[in-house]
Amino acid sequence: MSKPVDVSEIIAKTDVEIKRLGWTSEKAKEFLIQTYGKQERTLLTEDELLDFLRYLQYLPTPESKLKNESPINLHRANKNNKTVKTTFKRKKNRQPIDLSDVIATTDIEMERLSWTPQQGREYLIQTYGKRGRTLLTEEELLDFLQYLESIPTPPHEILQFEDPLAGF
């Protein structure tokens, strides 16, 4: 009898990607039903779950769509080296953007890159002379996010799930 596979790490990675994409649980459920005929990830086979993760990882990060705000755009290369735009919104009355959203997005990007908090801290110290993201100025924080987003997903994150028979 074969040993059951622990898919919790794969499910956690799909959580990160779903959050990065801004998908609601309803949108994810709809996709799963249309694609696999199943209502939740826990019902997917290991191969289906890996396929779902691979699909999510290849989708570009969408633009933010907050109303009544003017955008701050960062042009960057996505995982496929195509230029995409990340947008954060600034209130029309010129108040600073909500930096907690930017910090949360850096969390997602660091998870995607498998960076530890120590790696992030070392980069901040080397680049900005500061030990934490909350110490960065708005411009520095947006620059840090742009840097993270410009780094392609490490090959082991994508390639370990590729099916050589599928041709991709």
Side-chain angles (χ1 to χ4, degrees), residues 47-82:
D47 287 339
E48 290 170 333
L49 192 55
L50 291 171
D51 180 63
F52 180 48
L53 175 59
R54 191 169 46 239
Y55 172 75
L56 295 173
Q57 287 176 326
Y58 280 108
L59 292 176
T61 302
E63 291 183 29
S64 180
K65 299 193 191 292
L66 301 174
K67 333 192 271 192
N68 299 323
E69 299 177 353
S70 59
I72 296 172
N73 297 316
L74 300 176
H75 295 278
R76 63 177 175 82
N78 71 2
K79 299 173 201 79
N80 301 319
N81 291 323
K82 294 182 181 173

